[in-house]
Amino acid sequence: MSRVISIFDTTLRDGTQGEGISLSADDKLKIAKKLNELGVHYIEGGIPGSNSKDIEFFKRVQELRLDAKIVAFGSTRRKDSVAAQDANLQRILESGAQVATLVGKSWDFHVHTALQTTLDENLAMIYDSIAFLKQGGMEVIFDAEHFFDGFKHNPEYAAAVMKKAEEAGADWVVMCDTNGGTMPHEVHDIVTKLTGQLTTAHLGVHTHNDCELAVANTLSAVQAGARQVQGTINGLGERCGNANLCSVIPNLQLKLGYDCIPEERLKQLTNTARYISEVANVNMPVNQPYVGNASFAHKGGIHVSAIMRDSRTYEHIAPELVGNKQRILVSELAGQSNILSKAKDMGIELDPTSPDTRGVIDRIKDLEHQGYQFEGADASLELLIREASGEIKELFAFESFKMLVEKSAGRPTVSEAFVKLNVGGTSVYTAAEGNGPVNALDNALRKALVQYFPSLREMHLSDYKVRVLDENDATAAKVRVLIESKNYEHAWSTVGVSGNVIEASWEALVDSFRHALLAEELTEVEDGDLSINKRGIVNH
Ligand SMILES: [Zn+2]
């Protein structure tokens, strides 16, 4: 049997059913482009005609000329009607998509209870709808809804649905675990019984994660003979989500030896996952397998020293295979060896015997003693290490800031920040409002810098956390602020500590902007020559 697995992405359709996810047509097009770069075979874009965003998506996606096939989704015709007169089927045909996914019932209970029709009429609905779209020249994928539940209750009927879809010309028949309640051994048993029963259509699988088994069930189905997997990036989807393609693809390819996407494209997996979570504005769990920020992070002396000898001691794959990377976490307990390997991670070779290195290690220890924590603030740590190794030339210098918070009876609170910086010898003074003091500071700082460094437009604050450090002495307590910032490619975290929450936030904010500019600093600033001139700054 072929080892080639067809990857069907439904992030833009089933994925958008997830709570809190809303994508504009532009967002959908950006995601489609990214999925195409990853090398998925099918991109299900939505339901044509269901809303203006999807109409616009299907129109504009054609201009992108993607290699992946674009799929339009819909249901089989309504009961007791004619497929050719069904407005939804008509819209699928006219959508411009090459492929249609039609969902239909395969569980007798659903036919009686949800559709309220006869088992025969349901078969006719499936047959007519598929045949209609096949006559229109489309590739047709039939999603057999609740297939596993249906098969458990009435195997003859579920199998008859499948046969009917094939008879009507379906290219793929996809078994769906719509309620997500099936166990992996059941999936394996059922798919094994059906493999070989179809002659022209191929089998696929579509699972949901209600028992946290969507990935496991997908793998079981493939091992039993399914050749198409449907899922979403980061497992987005309604309730507990769909099968997570970011785990399904590397599991199939790296562990089980199936052929999903080209090896060099697999290296884009981490970047794709992060990009899509950014566009969809949903946080990725740090411990998400394969592509998470902590998937290959190591902390603590013994692990780290073993990892430095051979990464296979604590890593199940080389992180580079999926475009992720190893991270060494620094904690107060770990001391010198962790800081040195962290620096190495950044491409900086610190000589452990040099006074400069001793200086930076002492400084980090001292800061940790004051309440800074660099485990959750990689970017601040990187700035410290690079500073110590003399690599950084600051692109802007802080002069002062002022905050105004005003509350009058019956009016909303207004926060306003005034920021004074020096950029390349020029004094810059800005003021900005915000929905809170930190937001106002962020806005003012951004306004001051963005005119000189337009790339900062792409970054934004994605998380803000405050922690009181000495809870016994609440009035005099210090606070630690952790800020996470993002752009389309990266996320980075910075830290600030002070007795004053605004000051701590300011420190973390400034580090966040400095880190965003790091790449520019390292490449563009040489020996006192402020080459930021080319951005239009007159260098005095
Ligand atoms: Zn689904």
Side-chain angles (χ1 to χ4, degrees), residues 301-313 326 344:
I302 299 172
H303 281 205
V304 170
S305 56
I307 277 278
M308 298 317 282
R309 268 179 237 127
D310 190 331
S311 61
R312 285 174 298 181
T313 49
Q326 184 184 87
K344 202 171 159 197

Side-chain angles (χ1 to χ4, degrees), residues 10 13-14 17 73 143 176-178 206-208 230 238-239 241-242:
T10 181
R13 202 273 304 169
D14 230 358
Q17 301 295 314
F73 178 86
D143 269 14
C176 302
D177 187 26
T178 311
H206 175 120
T207 60
H208 279 266
Q230 300 194 345
E238 63 192 312
R239 305 190 310 275
N242 284 57

Side-chain angles (χ1 to χ4, degrees), residues 309-329:
R309 268 179 237 127
D310 190 331
S311 61
R312 285 174 298 181
T313 49
Y314 287 98
E315 286 175 357
H316 71 114
I317 59 159
E320 294 73 26
L321 290 173
V322 291
N324 207 340
K325 58 177 195 207
Q326 184 184 87
R327 287 170 62 230
I328 305 295
L329 304 176

Side-chain angles (χ1 to χ4, degrees), residues 348-350 356 360 383-392:
I348 304 172
E349 206 65 55
L350 288 182
D356 282 353
V360 70
L383 287 166
L384 275 174
I385 292 177
R386 289 201 192 276
E387 238 168 43
S389 63
E391 279 189 48
I392 294 187

Side-chain angles (χ1 to χ4, degrees), residues 170-187:
D171 299 272
W172 293 90
V173 177
V174 175
M175 301 162 284
C176 302
D177 187 26
T178 311
N179 295 357
T182 311
M183 296 289 117
H185 70 281
E186 296 172 315
V187 169

Side-chain angles (χ1 to χ4, degrees), residues 114-136:
L115 275 184
Q116 302 196 320
T117 189
T118 64
L119 296 181
D120 282 344
E121 172 59 6
N122 180 52
L123 290 177
M125 288 160 66
I126 292 165
Y127 184 92
D128 294 352
S129 309
I130 294 172
F132 173 70
L133 292 178
K134 285 303 294 179
Q135 276 159 24

Side-chain angles (χ1 to χ4, degrees), residues 51 279 293 335 366:
N51 59 61
V279 176
N293 215 18
D366 181 43

